[in-house]
Amino acid sequence: MDNKAFFDLTYGIFLIGAGSGGKMNACITNTVMQVAASPTRVTLSCINGNYTPELIKAGKCFTVGIVDETADYGYIENFGMKHGRDLDKFEGYDVKYDVNGMPYLTDHVCAVLSCKVVSEEDLGTHTLFIAEVVDAVKVADNSPLTYADYFAKVKPRKDETKDERKIIGWKCRICGFTVDGPELPEDYRCPLCDHPRSDFEPIYEE
Amino acid sequence: MDNKAFFDLTYGIFLIGAGSGGKMNACITNTVMQVAASPTRVTLSCINGNYTPELIKAGKCFTVGIVDETADYGYIENFGMKHGRDLDKFEGYDVKYDVNGMPYLTDHVCAVLSCKVVSEEDLGTHTLFIAEVVDAVKVADNSPLTYADYFAKVKPRKDETKDERKIIGWKCRICGFTVDGPELPEDYRCPLCDHPRSDFEPIYEE
């Protein structure tokens, strides 16, 4: 099994919004696609244990903001690399609510889908949601950001991040698994998703 | 519901191979993504009624060839717009077989995944397959072809196809629905997936 083969799968970048019981959160994912028409259905895969899928399971609804090429690294970092249990990721943003009462943003997204969960399947590391799209709105004419373009154009290159900050841990950018400490052995593999060291990014001291 | 919102979802292009009972076929789709790790799982959505998903349901396995930027329109046309019940799409190609005995090509693909169906869900117009990836091979270093690049760079532009050929029908490029006859009204919408006339492409007389 050559794990590099999986890097050739093409994805977009999405801002998933969800809420339940007065709480709400959003996260970044690359795993949304349309899988049926009439009624229109999409699939969304989320890492088990994260806050957003927990809220989706409770509220049975979510929004998909299709992130566009105007998004910068700070935006992706805020929604994709922080923990919504600890802080309010929406702070400073003008949050809107869709027909299902689910939160979404119009910042850096070109379209928003309102989704109602039809079924969910636990796949071990992830839960796969199948959802009906009950509303869809175009927000901007910007091109959608692809996962490949995120790595090529948005994510800071290694030399740009070669700064004074102290590395205190490493995070798998595939599944989100984190390891404490400044060093990560060259032959290290993620114990959760088995991806190699090259898929880990440093966590810096705040 | 603004259907244009769905055009912002990002996809790749895939050559799906399947076989059962001495028969085999392949088709082009844009609907494969990885949805879980350990074990690695992907989803694939196929239009109901087509030959390849019928073979997948019977054989419980399929291959995913990740189509790359070297693919030309003839290749996409052969595997994506012809009917495998009527002809052998593999004619002239050097067919290989994976660990599950499923057919695949190394022409114009940069990687091949061997998949075993774990579950299938009928979503009305489409069937969603969840499958475990049992093998993955890198075939070439070419970049994968995205769905957007297919339309921008591979599919002939209208003026290029303004040729002498006679239009005998129209095919929805979203769901494959076909209409007979040379004319399609401007306000026509696909009765199957509700996409507008602009998503239909002409079918020419052979």
Side-chain angles (χ1 to χ4, degrees):
Chain A
M1 178 99 79
D2 184 350
N3 280 320
K4 285 195 194 78
F6 295 99
F7 301 162
D8 289 330
L9 291 169
T10 295
Y11 302 93
I13 301 270
F14 310 101
L15 180 71
I16 307 300
S20 178
K23 292 175 179 175
M24 63 181 188
N25 194 39
C27 69
I28 296 284
T29 179
N30 61 339
T31 52
V32 174
M33 69 178 185
Q34 186 180 348
V35 293
S38 317
T40 303
R41 287 183 180 165
V42 293
T43 46
L44 161 69
S45 174
C46 285
I47 299 171
N48 285 332
N50 282 2
Y51 192 31
T52 306
E54 190 179 304
L55 291 173
I56 296 174
K57 285 176 188 178
K60 302 290 178 203
C61 294
F62 59 89
T63 58
V64 176
I66 303 178
V67 175
D68 69 29
E69 58 187 356
T70 68
D72 56 21
Y73 188 65
Y75 179 85
I76 304 289
E77 196 178 28
N78 182 63
F79 290 103
M81 300 172 203
K82 293 185 174 171
H83 295 291
R85 291 187 216 271
D86 310 332
L87 55 84
D88 175 14
K89 294 187 188 180
F90 287 119
E91 199 186 324
Y93 286 95
D94 178 20
V95 184
K96 297 176 172 64
Y97 298 90
D98 77 348
V99 289
N100 301 319
M102 293 294 116
Y104 71 94
L105 299 180
T106 53
D107 309 75
H108 306 306
V109 304
C110 52
V112 177
L113 312 180
S114 294
C115 307
K116 268 192 131 153
V117 175
V118 173
S119 71
E120 56 187 69
E121 184 150 353
D122 190 336
L123 300 178
T125 59
H126 293 62
T127 293
L128 180 74
F129 297 98
I130 300 175
E132 183 173 339
V133 181
V134 294
D135 198 14
V137 182
K138 272 292 289 178
V139 174
D141 286 332
N142 305 315
S143 294
L145 181 67
T146 67
Y147 196 55
D149 275 348
Y150 163 68
F151 284 106
K153 300 173 186 172
V154 178
K155 190 165 182 261
R157 290 166 189 278
K158 251 187 179 166
D159 50 344
E160 291 171 27
T161 57
K162 206 176 188 183
D163 57 16
E164 309 305 314
R165 292 181 294 170
K166 192 179 155 192
I167 293 172
I168 57 167
W170 294 83
K171 180 179 176 181
C172 175
R173 65 173 168 79
I174 305 300
C175 75
F177 183 84
T178 59
V179 191
D180 289 335
E183 302 293 341
L184 199 64
E186 282 305 321
D187 60 352
Y188 189 82
R189 299 193 78 86
C190 179
L192 185 57
C193 73
D194 200 38
H195 277 253
R197 185 192 191 282
S198 55
D199 284 321
F200 278 75
E201 60 194 7
I203 302 167
Y204 296 101
E205 195 174 47
E206 298 271 321
Chain B
M1 179 97 81
D2 184 351
N3 280 319
K4 284 195 194 78
F6 295 99
F7 300 163
D8 289 331
L9 291 168
T10 296
Y11 303 92
I13 302 268
F14 310 101
L15 180 71
I16 307 300
S20 178
K23 291 174 179 176
M24 65 180 187
N25 194 38
C27 70
I28 296 284
T29 180
N30 61 340
T31 53
V32 174
M33 68 178 186
Q34 185 180 347
V35 294
S38 317
T40 304
R41 286 181 181 170
V42 293
T43 47
L44 161 69
S45 174
C46 286
I47 299 171
N48 285 332
N50 282 1
Y51 192 32
T52 305
E54 190 179 305
L55 292 173
I56 295 174
K57 285 175 189 179
K60 302 289 177 204
C61 294
F62 59 91
T63 58
V64 176
I66 302 179
V67 175
D68 70 29
E69 58 187 357
T70 68
D72 57 20
Y73 188 66
Y75 180 83
I76 304 290
E77 196 178 27
N78 181 63
F79 290 103
M81 300 171 203
K82 293 187 176 172
H83 296 289
R85 291 186 216 273
D86 311 332
L87 56 84
D88 175 14
K89 294 187 189 181
F90 287 118
E91 198 186 324
Y93 287 95
D94 178 20
V95 184
K96 296 177 170 63
Y97 298 89
D98 77 348
V99 288
N100 301 318
M102 293 294 117
Y104 70 94
L105 298 181
T106 53
D107 309 76
H108 306 306
V109 303
C110 53
V112 177
L113 312 180
S114 295
C115 307
K116 267 191 132 151
V117 174
V118 172
S119 71
E120 56 188 69
E121 184 151 353
D122 190 336
L123 301 178
T125 58
H126 293 62
T127 292
L128 181 74
F129 297 99
I130 300 176
E132 182 173 339
V133 181
V134 294
D135 198 14
V137 183
K138 274 291 290 178
V139 173
D141 286 331
N142 305 315
S143 295
L145 181 66
T146 67
Y147 197 53
D149 276 347
Y150 163 67
F151 284 107
K153 299 174 187 170
V154 178
K155 191 166 179 260
R157 288 167 190 277
K158 252 187 181 169
D159 49 344
E160 289 173 27
T161 57
K162 207 177 186 182
D163 57 16
E164 310 306 313
R165 292 182 294 170
K166 194 179 153 192
I167 293 171
I168 57 166
W170 294 83
K171 180 180 177 181
C172 176
R173 65 172 168 81
I174 305 300
C175 75
F177 182 83
T178 59
V179 191
D180 290 334
E183 301 295 339
L184 199 64
E186 282 306 321
D187 60 351
Y188 189 82
R189 298 193 79 86
C190 180
L192 185 58
C193 73
D194 200 38
H195 277 252
R197 184 191 192 283
S198 55
D199 284 322
F200 277 75
E201 60 193 9
I203 302 166
Y204 296 101
E205 196 174 47
E206 297 272 321

